[in-house]
């Protein structure tokens, strides 16, 4: 039996690794160990509950206001003991978080093969997203098996000299869940509240946007909302206290903006499907929205997801108040501009990524 360990710690990693955990566990040829670092707590637990995944190891490292030093050192040390106990044949890490980087580094030190799920995404700008671009590149330097979501990510890896035999284009596992979560008969009190209006869905959390850029983003949104009474906005706020402070400072006091707790993924996908426009700095949402044909203004200077921009659903608008306000106004006021951005496409796969990755692991 092949011993496979999956390591993850934050909400987006869990959303994209849990479908794979369940697929691998359903196959008798694998002995599957799930290790969570607990870089996130409540937001991680929400996802584990939805997918019915129970970790075999839980490091519970999260603390309020944690630094990159905290996360890296705790995960690196914690992983040593866990890897020595489970003795996996291969460890799967995901994407670009500090959990993934430190877990991969621990495997490298112990010379345990690494499979990188969502490998090969790049901005080639180490400051944006920070520190995620570094994490991705560093993990790919020591990865043995690359599961690239798209042809473009495969090309990035080839350009960096990775062995073509070790790269597999599988689509993104994040898309696997969408097929079952979005339902026509979905109901929710917040969506009921927004029913007669055009719904703007907001998320924001990036480290490089904390502080002034985030205030600018929220001020632009506040202006849009104050000027148009046919809009309602829902913002499930990330649990980072710095994000919460900025959001409340700029957005409180408008009765057409609802600041709510993070949504479970099933709910969030249905909120995406019900939205008119999405304003976000998230990575994962840039992959989900094109499948649903929902226009996204990406409040960042760079993206490692150029496929959604090429497909026409995503537009990079940076973090300046004026630019966000201008670009969003155009989409809200110009029907043709809006229609141009609202076509569904599937640049990130057909929803079979977990199955494909499991097949590849089985045939090793
Ligand atoms: C992390 C990842 C980022 C990813 C994001 C997804 C790194 C460096 N950052 O950023 O790549 O896009 O997750 O959301 O790996 N908190 C809670 N409860 C939770 C989660 C967070 O209270 O369930 C609070 C804590 O105070 C914590 C803070 O949020 O210290 C920041 O969490 P952290 O994981 O360090 O950064 P994120 O911005 O969430
Ligand atoms: N998401 C969620 N609840 C929310 C907001 C987002 O389940 O309230 C999901 C969303 O569908 C996507 C993922 O979380 O799959 C994105 O996570 P996040 O933006 O925190 O991280 P990133 O993708 O930027 O790393």
């Amino acid at each position: 039996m092949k011993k496979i360990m999956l390591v993850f710690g934050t909400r987006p990693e869990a959303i994209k690794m849990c479908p794979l955990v369940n697929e691998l566990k359903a196959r008798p040829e694998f002995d599957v160990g799930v290790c969570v670092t607990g870089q996130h707590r409540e937001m991680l637990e929400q996802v584990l509950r939805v997918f019915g995944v129970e970790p075999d190891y839980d490091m519970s490292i999260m603390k309020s206001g944690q630094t990159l030093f905290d996360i890296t050192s705790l995960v690196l040390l914690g992983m040593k003991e866990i890897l020595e106990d489970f003795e996996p044949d291969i460890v799967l890490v995901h994407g670009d978080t500090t959990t993934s980087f430190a877990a991969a580094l621990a495997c490298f030190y112990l010379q345990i093969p690494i499979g990188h799920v969502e490998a090969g995404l790049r901005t080639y700008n180490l400051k944006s997203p920070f520190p995620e671009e570094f994490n991705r590149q560093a993990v790919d330097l020591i990865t043995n098996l690359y599961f690239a979501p798209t042809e473009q990510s495969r090309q990035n890896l080839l350009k960096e000299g990775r062995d073509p035999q070790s790269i597999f284009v599988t689509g993104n596992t994040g898309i696997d869940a969408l097929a079952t979560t979005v339902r026509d008969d979905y109901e929710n009190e917040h969506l009921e509240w927004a029913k007669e209006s055009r719904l703007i869905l907001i998320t924001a959390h990036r480290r490089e946007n904390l502080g002034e850029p985030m205030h600018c983003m929220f001020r632009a949104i506040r202006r849009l909302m104050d000027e148009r009474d046919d809009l309602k906005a829902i913002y499930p706020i990330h649990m980072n206290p710095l994000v919460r402070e900025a959001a409340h400072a700029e957005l409180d006091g408008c009765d057409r903006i609802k600041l709510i707790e993070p949504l479970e993924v099933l709910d969030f996908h249905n909120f995406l499907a019900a939205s008119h426009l999405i304003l976000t700095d998230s990575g994962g949402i840039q992959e989900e929205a094109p499948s649903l044909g929902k226009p996204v203004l990406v409040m960042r200077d760079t993206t490692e997801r150029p496929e959604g921009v090429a497909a026409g659903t995503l537009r990079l608008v940076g973090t300046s108040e004026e630019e966000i306000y201008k670009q969003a106004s155009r989409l809200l006021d110009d029907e043709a501009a809006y229609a141009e951005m609202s076509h569904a496409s599937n640049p990130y796969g057909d929803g079979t990524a977990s199955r494909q990755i499991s097949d590849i692991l089985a045939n090793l």
Side-chain angles (χ1 to χ4, degrees):
M1 265 219 292
K2 284 189 186 105
K3 288 187 89 172
I4 302 192
M5 169 161 271
L6 298 92
V7 185
F8 49 93
T10 66
R11 168 174 68 191
E13 291 167 86
I15 289 172
K16 292 165 169 182
M17 288 293 252
C18 284
L20 182 56
V21 168
N22 287 334
E23 179 71 33
L24 289 169
K25 280 196 167 175
R27 301 186 183 207
E29 64 264 44
F30 299 122
D31 176 5
V32 181
V34 175
C35 168
V36 296
T37 63
Q39 177 178 334
H40 283 177
R41 187 176 299 140
E42 302 85 348
M43 287 162 58
L44 174 70
E45 278 159 14
Q46 272 187 333
V47 184
L48 294 173
R49 211 169 38 239
V50 167
F51 285 93
V53 169
E54 282 190 26
D56 302 287
Y57 300 90
D58 185 349
M59 292 185 211
S60 298
I61 65 158
M62 199 200 88
K63 54 185 176 197
S64 185
Q66 63 200 1
T67 66
L68 298 175
F69 294 89
D70 298 322
I71 306 169
T72 308
S73 54
L74 290 172
V75 172
L76 187 63
L77 282 176
M79 280 310 299
K80 179 172 182 288
E81 263 177 49
I82 291 169
L83 292 170
E84 284 170 350
D85 181 62
F86 188 73
E87 298 185 330
D89 297 311
I90 184 164
V91 171
L92 304 181
V93 298
H94 184 277
D96 60 6
T97 66
T98 296
T99 279
S100 306
F101 162 64
L105 187 59
C107 294
F108 177 67
Y109 286 165
L110 291 173
Q111 287 292 286
I112 297 169
I114 300 162
H116 190 193
V117 181
E118 202 182 87
L121 278 66
R122 296 288 184 269
T123 64
Y124 292 112
N125 177 346
L126 289 176
K127 291 192 177 141
S128 174
F130 174 87
E132 289 85 358
E133 177 65 14
F134 164 79
N135 289 342
R136 275 195 200 278
Q137 292 195 32
V139 172
D140 284 339
L141 196 61
I142 51 178
T143 286
N144 305 82
L145 272 186
Y146 301 89
F147 300 108
T150 67
E151 180 55 29
Q152 168 113 31
S153 37
R154 187 176 86 97
Q155 289 301 328
N156 291 338
L157 292 164
L158 290 175
K159 267 189 278 168
E160 291 167 23
R162 308 290 159 231
D163 176 1
Q165 306 288 333
S166 65
I167 309 171
F168 301 89
V169 178
T170 60
N172 196 307
T173 54
I175 303 300
D176 296 4
L178 273 178
T180 50
T181 47
V182 177
R183 296 195 324 246
D184 288 340
D185 60 349
Y186 177 81
E187 285 179 13
N188 180 287
E189 54 167 319
H190 298 303
L191 292 187
E192 191 59 30
W193 166 79
K195 204 167 69 184
E196 306 298 331
S197 310
R198 293 190 290 173
L199 174 62
I200 313 291
L201 189 62
I202 305 162
T203 83
H205 70 81
R206 299 236 80 81
R207 251 185 170 72
E208 69 273 17
N209 288 343
L210 293 174
E212 192 50 23
M214 204 164 272
H215 280 272
C216 290
M217 285 155 52
F218 295 150
R219 279 201 289 271
I221 292 169
R222 182 61 185 260
R223 274 168 68 190
L224 293 167
M225 297 304 298
D226 283 342
E227 287 171 9
R228 291 172 184 77
D229 59 12
D230 69 323
L231 298 182
K232 283 196 173 152
I234 299 180
Y235 177 9
I237 320 185
H238 191 284
M239 296 195 78
N240 187 335
L242 296 173
V243 176
R244 296 196 155 212
E245 269 168 42
H248 284 294
E250 304 293 349
L251 300 174
D252 275 355
C254 171
D255 62 4
R256 280 177 294 101
I257 304 178
K258 264 197 184 194
L259 303 183
I260 62 173
E261 289 303 311
L263 290 163
E264 291 202 349
V265 63
L266 185 146
D267 297 300
F268 191 79
H269 285 173
N270 284 282
F271 276 50
L272 279 176
S275 297
H276 182 73
L277 176 64
I278 297 143
L279 292 166
T280 188
D281 66 4
S282 159
I285 294 168
Q286 294 179 53
E287 293 153 354
E288 294 162 345
S291 294
L292 299 169
K294 295 295 172 178
V296 182
L297 295 183
V298 183
M299 300 183 289
R300 296 172 48 178
D301 298 323
T302 59
T303 183
E304 58 293 86
R305 278 126 174 139
E307 299 88 348
V309 178
T313 335
L314 312 181
R315 183 167 301 151
L316 272 184
V317 295
T319 55
S320 107
E321 180 181 336
E322 259 335 289
E323 194 57 22
I324 295 170
Y325 174 79
K326 201 175 84 192
Q327 298 268 5
S329 298
R330 181 166 162 264
L331 276 189
L332 290 169
D333 301 338
D334 178 342
E335 268 180 44
Y338 181 83
E340 220 173 87
M341 277 187 79
S342 29
H343 294 295
S345 65
N346 288 307
Y348 300 104
D350 59 1
T352 62
S354 299
R355 209 166 69 215
Q356 292 186 48
I357 294 170
S358 304
D359 287 345
I360 294 160
L361 290 169
N363 291 327
L364 277 184

